[in-house]
Amino acid sequence: MPKITFISDTHNKHNKIKILESDILIHAGDATGSGSVQEVASFLNWFSQQPAKHKIYVAGNHDFLFEKDPLFSKMLLSEHPSIIYLQDSMIEIMGLKIYGSPHQPFFHNWAFNKNESQLKDIWSNIPDEVDILVTHGPPLNVLDETEDGDRVGCNWLRKAVLERIKPRVHHFGHIHEGYGTMQIDNTIFVNSSICDVMYRPDNKPIVLEIS
């Protein structure tokens, strides 16, 4: 069974994180603080050296460079061929179909913000047959509660995941307070935010074995 390590929301604290060896390492976004070239380059250099046969990255709302300058981002990624970047795209690894998308509902004028109509269209383009879905943000009412008690996940994402896609794993971050796992029907939801609400890298990577 492939061993998969899930991380997200490392916010430039990647050097303080211990990653154990696995088959697949997936980062669900917010690797940086503001998405500067220097921050992105530092993260990609670290990520490429981690002990996993396959490394997958999906950008988050802090990772501005991937939205503002996709061509330059692509150039940086080309220097690290061991990293697979997914943006509304899918790859099959070890028999698992993995789809990634960085978008989320509007959130403080950060990157990859979309309105409800746009999100409905984006999620409708996700194929039906996905084993692991990686989005930066959570679906509504799933590991999406802020410290103020607000539920800030995406309703259209929830509908797409639970009613149509039904992946084996839905991996995300974005809401640091939602760190952890839960299961609905046959889908395991993973919020792997490494940083807590105070941006301290106190949470551990989440590891699952998928048959």
Side-chain angles (χ1 to χ4, degrees):
M1 294 187 295
K3 179 184 290 186
I4 306 175
T5 300
F6 299 93
I7 60 174
S8 184
D9 294 80
T10 50
H11 293 287
N12 294 324
K13 308 292 176 59
H14 41 265
N15 287 320
K16 297 183 179 180
I17 303 164
K18 176 65 175 178
I19 303 293
L20 299 179
E21 187 171 353
S22 61
D23 296 300
I24 305 173
L25 171 62
I26 307 178
H27 194 302
D30 278 4
T32 68
S34 61
S36 69
V37 173
Q38 293 79 8
E39 288 178 330
V40 171
S42 173
F43 165 72
L44 293 178
N45 183 61
W46 172 83
F47 196 56
S48 68
Q49 298 178 48
Q50 296 313 299
K53 297 175 185 176
H54 307 278
K55 292 173 274 285
I56 296 173
Y57 173 58
V58 174
N61 58 288
H62 280 251
D63 304 325
F64 273 106
L65 187 67
F66 292 88
E67 182 179 61
K68 290 183 175 180
D69 198 339
L71 290 178
F72 192 77
S73 299
K74 187 175 182 180
M75 186 195 74
L76 288 178
L77 285 161
S78 71
E79 298 174 359
H80 303 281
S82 66
I83 299 174
I84 300 163
Y85 177 67
L86 297 180
Q87 184 169 324
D88 302 310
S89 56
M90 184 165 70
I91 190 167
E92 184 169 344
I93 297 175
M94 302 183 73
L96 296 171
K97 295 179 179 178
I98 304 171
Y99 188 97
S101 180
H103 311 286
Q104 82 272 314
F106 271 88
F107 189 79
H108 299 305
N109 295 316
W110 291 95
F112 296 107
N113 284 338
K114 295 292 186 291
N115 62 40
E116 288 204 5
S117 176
Q118 291 171 314
L119 288 169
K120 183 179 180 182
D121 290 341
I122 288 168
W123 306 140
S124 70
N125 288 325
I126 300 174
D128 291 345
E129 296 183 3
V130 172
D131 295 301
I132 300 176
L133 176 63
V134 186
T135 60
H136 178 59
L140 183 65
N141 292 327
V142 180
L143 305 173
D144 69 332
E145 186 173 358
T146 70
E147 62 178 345
D148 298 322
D150 297 324
R151 293 285 188 172
V152 295
C154 178
N155 184 51
W156 289 116
L157 180 57
R158 179 186 176 93
K159 287 179 178 292
V161 170
L162 292 179
E163 297 177 11
R164 180 177 61 82
I165 306 169
K166 301 177 181 179
R168 297 164 73 179
V169 177
H170 182 190
H171 174 214
F172 50 86
H174 189 45
I175 305 304
H176 299 187
E177 304 95 303
Y179 171 82
T181 65
M182 68 180 293
Q183 183 166 345
I184 301 176
D185 299 327
N186 293 319
T187 298
I188 299 172
F189 294 88
V190 177
N191 181 330
S192 66
S193 297
I194 296 298
C195 287
D196 63 15
V197 71
M198 299 301 293
Y199 286 78
R200 297 171 298 206
D202 287 347
N203 297 326
K204 295 182 179 180
I206 293 174
V207 180
L208 299 176
E209 291 189 0
I210 309 297
S211 62

